[in-house]
Amino acid sequence: MFFSIMSGGSMHSGLVGLLCLAIASAICCSSVGSSSNIMCLESERHALLQFKQGLVDKSNALASWENKKDCCKWRGIDCNNQTGHVITLDLSSSYDPYINSTKVPLIRGEISPSLLELPYLNYLDLSYNDFEGTMIPKFIGSLSQLKELKLAYANFSGPVPPQLGNLSDLHTLDLSFNDFEGMMIPKFIGSLSQLKELKLADANFSGPVPPQLGNLSNLHTLDLYGNEIVSSENLEWLSHLSSLRYLNMSWLNLSEAVNWPQSLSKLTLLTELQLSVSYLPDVNLRSLSFINSSTSLQLLDLSWNSLINSSIFYWIANVSSNFVHIDLRYNILEGPIPDVFTSMLSLVTLDLSVNQLEGGIPKGFQNLCSLESLTLWHNQLSENIEDSVKTLSCAENTLETLNLGSNRFWGSLPDLKHFSKLRELDLSWNQVNGSLPESVGQLSSLETLYLSGNSLSGVITEAHFLNLSRLQYLSLSGNHFSINLSSDWNPPFQLHWLYMSSLKVGPAFPKWILTQTNLTTLYLSNAGLSASLPNKFWDLFSGLEWLDLSMNQIHGKLPNLSSTSLLSLSLSSNLFSGALPSFSPMLQSLYLSNNTFSGPLSSLCATQYPNLEYLDISKNLLSGELPNCWMQFQELQVLNLGKNKLSGKISSSLGNIQGIVILRLHDNNFLGELPSLENCTRLLMVDLGNNNLSGKIPTWIGQSLTNLVILRLRSNEFNGIIPFSLCKLATIHVLDLSHNNISGALPHCFNNITALADDSRVGGLIVELVWKGIEIEFPNITGLRSINISSNYLIGKIPQSIANMTQLISLNLSRNNLMGKLPENFGNLKMLESLDLSRNQISGKIPASFASLNFLSVLDLSYNNLSGRIPTSTQLQSFDASKYIGNLELCGPPLTPNCSRDGATQADDNKEHDKDGLISLGFFISVVLGFVTGFWMVCGSLLLKTSYRYAYFRFLDNAKDWIYVKTSVYKAKVRRTLQR
């Protein structure tokens, strides 16, 4: 009974509990349902529609913004679940103009002030759109609830409105990648005390960083990257940003901020520091104390500065031991790498490339067991490569990138098979020798293998590539390998880049390369190829962008290449023939020199080449006139058509290539006057030598082409005087006007030529010069200063000012009509190695200062009117006598053994001297007096005495008769003798 009662009571209690639970659930569900049904306010929906009306939405990004729909469900809109107020407006696009410049941004247009009807808006993001260079609207400063304002990549310009300083609750401000037209970073930003994230990267700000930014004590992210004309002379304000975790001031000018290490050391929470290209001053950091140094710093980028002092390594070691990434590339760090990395057990990437570091890899690297990338490229490191690899043994299971290229590592390449994760191996341009271990073929993760420019030898077989299925980039050029790959070998990889220049892979084109249809870069220069290219070559490699087959003996004709993807094509020094085809319109460089291409250049006009920068078709058999389409080659920097058979006048449209730097039309048959090139102000080299050009040398050469390094007009028919404007060519290295019809005097301002010449811009300039009597090609004119105006009709004196050209190496004024005395200070030309003044009418003595020309190796003063003693010096007496011949009054070694007295004539020195001294001046006087006396004694007596005269002539008549009779008798006797 009791049990029954209790059982009934329990059931009743359970029913009551279930009922309460059901009621509670209903209330809860009702509450939730009512909350989820809250729609946006009508006034705010209307404000958003007004905002949309001011926008251009070609991408249809705002299609969901329709009149009858709840605006809380529109794209980019979030509302408060309780009140329905719009709190978020996010119309940012994923479009990045630095990655994809062709994609259209989501929206354009103007920002309507209707946004003020959204009083609870706390998040506004309009990034990656295009507001067409308008100013940031001032009314945004009245959106008082804003906490996040993101306007990056939105094409705003003009000054930042000071009204943004009213946004006192702002946590994030991102104005990056806009154009604020060189305005200063606004000081009012320093009053936004709640700011945690400030991004002003690449926004074209200028001037000093306002120290008011130091008031932002809550700031954890500061990005000022890319504002190149922003500077900061004192970084003391940085030390107040105690919450800072991310700092990027790359591309700012911090050249005066000598306190940068001290200020940065106080940022104890900093985890990422980027100061690349910041012109950091080089200071000695070992003497600094490192109180309050950060222990949290993980990423450090000080690349592309001018740091020299290796004490930076010690500063880094003291700042943190928790580094993950360190980048010090492109500095000028010298000396050995200090052994300060021992305790950096978390280090993953280290880049010290492009410095001047010496020695080997520090032993402390034995502890870097987490290392994934080590880049030491382009230093002066020198160590046995086996020792270097052994030092990195702890990273065998982690190392993915090992770049030791362009150093002086030596020795044999060790076994690398234990580095199983290696993806990139670059040992190029070192002094590594021996053979390539076959174990390289076991590195199954390898994607890049660069071994070019070493002394590696041995046989390359298929075993070296056995498991390299991921290999994409292979460079073996410039070694001594023998290639022994089967003709039917099918590689396990598909390469993108292949460099095998200066390796014998020919004579036939390797079939295995034809399987690499993904190639974009192929370099087989000087590879022993001597057959024609395979029939399907151009079809198989339709994706090729960079092709170099130069310095082979490949023959055949080129097909139409206009449908290819080529950016650079080099077929120089082969046996290609036929007409020039059309090339890819994307072409940037074309090198076809030293082949036998023939026909006209007209095919160049058939296709537009808007990106072509380098065009070299020299040393071929091209003929006809220059086409008149050069105005379409606006990017052309180098044009070399020399040594062909081109004729006619030089096209005037060449003057439209304003960016051209090198113009070579030498050794053709061009005629007429030189067209105007005065708009081509970037020209460094003009070579028109060995043509039939005529007219006067244009004055605009000196007036407009003031950057000229080489001007070569030799062997033409230019006439008239040398224009005085050429004196403005202060940076000239080579001036060659020889073998023309130039007349007049040398300009007295000639000393201005070469006055400012330096070698910073002469790299890659090749010129043919008559040097020391021989015409040779100079592949490098560094240090060269040469003037040649020989074989013209110059008159007058050599100006005194020419002796001020103290850097001159070669001067040739021979075969002119120059006269007068040599400048007394000629010896100031102390750098002269070659001097030719022969076959002029120069008179007077050779100046004593000639004895100072200590570098002279070529001298010719022959056939002038020089007189007196040849100055004594080691150089002047070392030349052959023929270099002084033709100067009748010149004496002294090497022309004559001695001079009888200073200033004595030297006519006798060109004859055989009487060794006994009998033939002297007195001897000649005696002979003359004897002749005159004898003549008048005989002839005078005949004139004065008639009987003597009659007797004399009677004697002559009798003698004549006697000779006649005797001759006749003799002839008769001879005749009778012959008849017998």
Side-chain angles (χ1 to χ4, degrees):
M1 181 73 179
F2 178 77
F3 177 80
S4 298
I5 294 172
M6 290 299 295
S7 178
S10 297
M11 289 179 64
H12 181 266
S13 299
L15 290 173
V16 171
L18 288 173
L19 180 62
C20 292
L21 181 62
I23 294 172
S25 298
I27 294 173
C28 181
C29 290
S30 174
S31 173
V32 171
S34 63
S35 176
S36 62
N37 290 330
I38 293 177
M39 300 176 63
C40 73
L41 303 181
E42 179 63 23
S43 60
E44 296 187 6
R45 185 174 66 85
H46 180 70
L48 288 172
L49 290 175
Q50 276 190 303
F51 169 68
K52 179 184 176 183
Q53 288 179 359
L55 304 177
V56 178
D57 180 22
K58 289 186 177 181
S59 60
N60 211 25
L62 305 182
S64 62
W65 288 34
E66 298 178 6
N67 286 333
K68 296 181 179 180
K69 288 189 176 181
D70 180 10
C71 71
C72 293
K73 298 178 180 179
W74 291 354
R75 175 177 178 171
I77 304 297
D78 280 336
C79 299
N80 185 294
N81 289 336
Q82 302 296 324
T83 65
H85 285 296
V86 174
I87 58 175
T88 297
L89 175 55
D90 184 356
L91 296 183
S92 62
S93 163
S94 59
Y95 158 70
D96 186 342
Y98 284 78
I99 299 174
N100 186 354
S101 59
T102 60
K103 185 177 178 181
V104 178
L106 284 179
I107 56 176
R108 301 177 183 273
E110 297 182 359
I111 302 175
S112 169
S114 63
L115 292 184
L116 290 173
E117 302 299 320
L118 309 176
Y120 294 94
L121 191 68
N122 61 47
Y123 186 101
L124 177 60
D125 190 348
L126 301 177
S127 301
Y128 299 100
N129 289 293
D130 184 5
F131 294 102
E132 302 173 332
T134 58
M135 286 180 57
I136 296 174
K138 298 178 181 178
F139 66 79
I140 290 181
S142 299
L143 299 173
S144 57
Q145 299 295 314
L146 270 185
K147 292 185 178 180
E148 310 265 347
L149 178 58
K150 300 179 179 181
L151 303 176
Y153 287 104
N155 194 13
F156 287 112
S157 64
V160 178
Q163 288 80 0
L164 296 188
N166 298 330
L167 303 176
S168 56
D169 290 332
L170 207 60
H171 290 179
T172 297
L173 177 60
D174 188 354
L175 305 179
S176 301
F177 298 95
N178 287 288
D179 182 7
F180 296 115
E181 301 178 348
M183 305 297 292
M184 293 179 62
I185 296 175
K187 296 179 180 179
F188 69 77
I189 294 178
S191 65
L192 302 175
S193 58
Q194 300 301 312
L195 265 186
K196 296 181 179 179
E197 189 173 1
L198 176 59
K199 296 183 176 181
L200 304 177
D202 205 358
N204 195 14
F205 286 113
S206 68
V209 177
Q212 288 82 355
L213 296 187
N215 297 331
L216 303 176
S217 57
N218 293 313
L219 202 66
H220 63 70
T221 297
L222 176 59
D223 189 353
L224 303 178
Y225 162 87
N227 293 287
E228 297 184 38
I229 49 179
V230 169
S231 61
S232 185
E233 297 183 2
N234 191 329
L235 295 182
E236 195 274 334
W237 57 272
L238 263 180
S239 60
H240 301 294
L241 304 180
S242 55
S243 301
L244 205 60
R245 289 171 172 79
Y246 175 93
L247 174 61
N248 191 342
M249 297 177 70
S250 297
W251 289 92
L252 268 65
N253 185 358
L254 304 181
S255 59
E256 302 296 326
V258 293
N259 65 333
W260 66 268
Q262 296 93 325
S263 299
L264 294 173
S265 297
K266 296 177 182 178
L267 303 177
T268 56
L269 299 180
L270 200 63
T271 60
E272 186 167 338
L273 173 61
Q274 298 192 40
L275 295 177
S276 176
V277 201
S278 298
Y279 311 99
L280 290 173
D282 190 57
V283 294
N284 190 345
L285 301 169
R286 296 192 70 173
S287 60
L288 298 177
S289 59
F290 299 99
I291 302 172
N292 296 327
S293 293
S294 169
T295 57
S296 57
L297 195 59
Q298 297 179 7
L299 186 150
L300 175 66
D301 184 357
L302 301 180
S303 61
W304 294 88
N305 284 287
S306 298
L307 301 175
I308 300 175
N309 202 311
S310 61
S311 62
I312 185 67
F313 289 106
Y314 298 95
W315 180 78
I316 290 172
N318 280 283
V319 164
S320 174
S321 60
N322 295 318
F323 279 112
V324 177
H325 307 284
I326 297 177
D327 190 348
L328 293 175
R329 61 188 159 146
Y330 286 92
N331 279 285
I332 321 175
L333 296 171
E334 300 175 338
I337 303 172
D339 200 356
V340 296
F341 296 94
T342 305
S343 60
M344 297 185 189
L345 305 182
S346 302
L347 195 62
V348 172
T349 63
L350 175 62
D351 193 341
L352 304 178
S353 56
V354 195
N355 280 284
Q356 298 177 22
L357 297 168
E358 302 171 353
I361 297 177
K363 299 304 178 185
F365 278 48
Q366 294 174 344
N367 297 335
L368 304 184
C369 301
S370 300
L371 198 62
E372 295 179 8
S373 177
L374 176 61
T375 305
L376 302 177
W377 176 72
H378 207 293
N379 278 281
Q380 299 172 21
L381 298 169
S382 178
E383 185 180 40
N384 190 314
I385 190 69
E386 294 187 58
D387 295 337
S388 303
V389 171
K390 184 181 294 185
T391 303
L392 300 173
S393 58
C394 188
E396 283 181 347
N397 298 320
T398 59
L399 196 63
E400 298 181 4
T401 297
L402 178 60
N403 189 338
L404 306 180
S406 297
N407 280 285
R408 300 171 185 169
F409 289 101
W410 49 274
S412 299
L413 196 60
D415 191 340
L416 297 169
K417 64 183 179 183
H418 299 297
F419 291 84
S420 57
K421 292 190 176 181
L422 206 58
R423 293 189 301 108
E424 177 183 343
L425 175 62
D426 187 348
L427 302 177
S428 60
W429 303 105
N430 278 283
Q431 299 167 16
V432 182
N433 54 29
S435 60
L436 180 65
E438 288 188 355
S439 59
V440 169
Q442 303 299 321
L443 300 175
S444 57
S445 298
L446 203 62
E447 298 174 5
T448 299
L449 177 60
Y450 287 166
L451 300 174
S452 294
N454 282 285
S455 299
L456 291 166
S457 57
V459 181
I460 297 293
T461 67
E462 298 163 21
H464 288 95
F465 307 103
L466 188 62
N467 292 323
L468 304 187
S469 58
R470 298 183 182 180
L471 194 65
Q472 299 179 42
Y473 308 98
L474 175 62
S475 179
L476 303 176
S477 300
N479 284 285
H480 308 299
F481 291 126
S482 296
I483 309 298
N484 184 18
L485 298 171
S486 172
S487 59
D488 58 353
W489 178 50
N490 189 16
F493 47 73
Q494 272 292 326
L495 297 174
H496 293 298
W497 294 1
L498 174 59
Y499 295 84
M500 295 186 72
S501 295
S502 299
L503 295 178
K504 185 172 176 53
V505 301
F509 197 90
K511 290 183 179 179
W512 72 267
I513 295 180
L514 297 177
T515 68
Q516 304 299 298
T517 54
N518 291 340
L519 279 173
T520 60
T521 300
L522 176 60
Y523 279 61
L524 294 176
S525 174
N526 190 29
L529 299 172
S530 58
S532 59
L533 292 176
N535 292 332
K536 296 183 179 181
F537 179 87
W538 300 105
D539 294 329
L540 290 172
F541 297 122
S542 58
L544 265 181
E545 297 178 354
W546 304 84
L547 176 62
D548 187 353
L549 300 177
S550 62
M551 293 189 289
N552 287 289
Q553 296 184 24
I554 306 172
H555 55 80
K557 298 181 179 180
L558 294 180
N560 188 325
L561 300 177
S562 58
S563 60
T564 64
S565 304
L566 286 168
L567 301 177
S568 176
L569 175 61
S570 179
L571 303 177
S572 299
S573 300
N574 277 286
L575 302 175
F576 287 104
S577 59
L580 294 176
S582 294
F583 298 96
S584 163
M586 297 182 290
L587 207 61
Q588 297 175 7
S589 57
L590 178 62
Y591 302 99
L592 302 177
S593 65
N594 203 18
N595 282 280
T596 56
F597 289 108
S598 58
L601 282 168
S602 54
S603 62
L604 289 177
C605 298
T607 306
Q608 296 252 345
Y609 301 101
N611 302 315
L612 191 63
E613 298 180 0
Y614 304 94
L615 177 59
D616 186 351
I617 323 180
S618 60
K619 301 179 183 178
N620 279 282
L621 303 175
L622 300 173
S623 58
E625 298 187 358
L626 280 183
N628 197 32
C629 59
W630 298 103
M631 64 286 293
Q632 71 186 39
F633 294 87
Q634 285 304 304
E635 296 300 317
L636 198 62
Q637 297 180 28
V638 176
L639 175 61
N640 189 351
L641 301 176
K643 295 194 174 181
N644 280 286
K645 296 182 178 181
L646 299 168
S647 57
K649 293 187 175 181
I650 295 177
S651 172
S652 60
S653 62
L654 283 175
N656 294 321
I657 313 176
Q658 296 187 13
I660 193 166
V661 175
I662 296 176
L663 176 61
R664 302 195 71 187
L665 304 177
H666 59 100
D667 292 276
N668 281 286
N669 297 310
F670 293 117
L671 50 80
E673 296 187 355
L674 185 61
S676 175
L677 302 174
E678 56 189 323
N679 292 327
C680 307
T681 55
R682 293 182 59 196
L683 273 169
L684 299 181
M685 178 179 185
V686 174
D687 187 353
L688 305 176
N690 296 92
N691 281 287
N692 298 310
L693 299 171
S694 57
K696 297 181 178 180
I697 296 176
T699 57
W700 50 258
I701 291 180
Q703 294 169 346
S704 300
L705 309 185
T706 54
N707 292 315
L708 273 181
V709 173
I710 297 173
L711 176 60
R712 187 173 181 266
L713 303 178
R714 69 175 283 122
S715 298
N716 280 284
E717 298 175 10
F718 289 109
N719 55 55
I721 65 170
I722 298 174
F724 283 90
S725 61
L726 290 192
C727 294
K728 296 180 181 178
L729 300 179
T731 61
I732 203 84
H733 281 63
V734 175
L735 175 64
D736 191 345
L737 307 179
S738 62
H739 294 274
N740 280 283
N741 300 318
I742 301 170
S743 57
L746 285 170
H748 285 272
C749 57
F750 237 43
N751 59 300
N752 293 333
I753 295 180
T754 78
L756 302 178
D758 63 72
D759 294 328
S760 62
R761 300 179 302 158
V762 302
L765 295 182
I766 300 173
V767 65
E768 292 175 356
L769 292 177
V770 175
W771 184 255
K772 302 181 180 180
I774 304 172
E775 185 166 352
I776 57 176
E777 186 173 82
F778 274 74
N780 185 357
I781 64 168
T782 300
L784 182 62
R785 311 286 186 274
S786 173
I787 294 178
N788 188 348
I789 319 181
S790 62
S791 299
N792 280 285
Y793 298 98
L794 296 175
I795 61 173
K797 295 181 178 181
I798 297 177
Q800 293 282 339
S801 58
I802 206 166
N804 295 328
M805 304 170 71
T806 54
Q807 299 301 309
L808 204 59
I809 304 295
S810 175
L811 176 62
N812 191 344
L813 301 176
S814 65
R815 300 176 186 271
N816 281 285
N817 297 313
L818 297 170
M819 58 185 65
K821 296 182 179 181
L822 291 171
E824 287 296 327
N825 56 350
F826 214 100
N828 289 350
L829 304 178
K830 296 183 183 297
M831 303 300 293
L832 265 186
E833 296 180 19
S834 178
L835 174 63
D836 191 347
L837 303 177
S838 64
R839 299 183 186 274
N840 282 284
Q841 300 174 32
I842 302 171
S843 59
K845 295 182 178 182
I846 299 176
S849 62
F850 262 59
S852 302
L853 303 179
N854 296 322
F855 294 104
L856 211 55
S857 57
V858 174
L859 174 67
D860 196 344
L861 301 177
S862 62
Y863 298 101
N864 280 285
N865 296 320
L866 294 169
S867 60
R869 180 187 295 274
I870 298 173
T872 301
S873 78
T874 304
Q875 295 299 111
L876 296 180
Q877 272 65 50
S878 67
F879 297 109
D880 188 79
S882 62
K883 304 305 179 183
Y884 299 97
I885 200 170
N887 295 282
L888 298 181
E889 298 187 7
L890 198 61
C891 67
L895 188 58
T896 65
N898 50 55
C899 293
S900 59
R901 66 179 186 275
D902 288 344
T905 63
Q906 294 300 309
D908 300 335
D909 294 329
N910 295 326
K911 303 176 183 179
E912 192 71 34
H913 286 273
D914 187 304
K915 294 185 178 180
D916 295 326
L918 296 176
I919 301 177
S920 61
L921 181 61
F923 173 80
F924 284 108
I925 294 173
S926 300
V927 169
V928 172
L929 290 175
F931 174 78
V932 172
T933 303
F935 176 82
W936 282 110
M937 284 179 65
V938 175
C939 296
S941 62
L942 294 177
L943 290 173
L944 298 174
K945 188 93 173 150
T946 306
S947 59
Y948 286 0
R949 188 163 60 250
Y950 287 155
Y952 176 71
F953 287 111
R954 189 181 304 115
F955 169 77
L956 291 179
D957 287 338
N958 292 336
K960 181 182 71 171
D961 293 340
W962 183 82
I963 293 172
Y964 175 75
V965 171
K966 288 291 185 180
T967 303
S968 298
V969 171
Y970 180 76
K971 286 182 180 180
K973 288 181 178 179
V974 172
R975 192 179 298 115
R976 283 196 299 270
T977 302
L978 293 174
Q979 287 175 350
R980 289 175 185 172

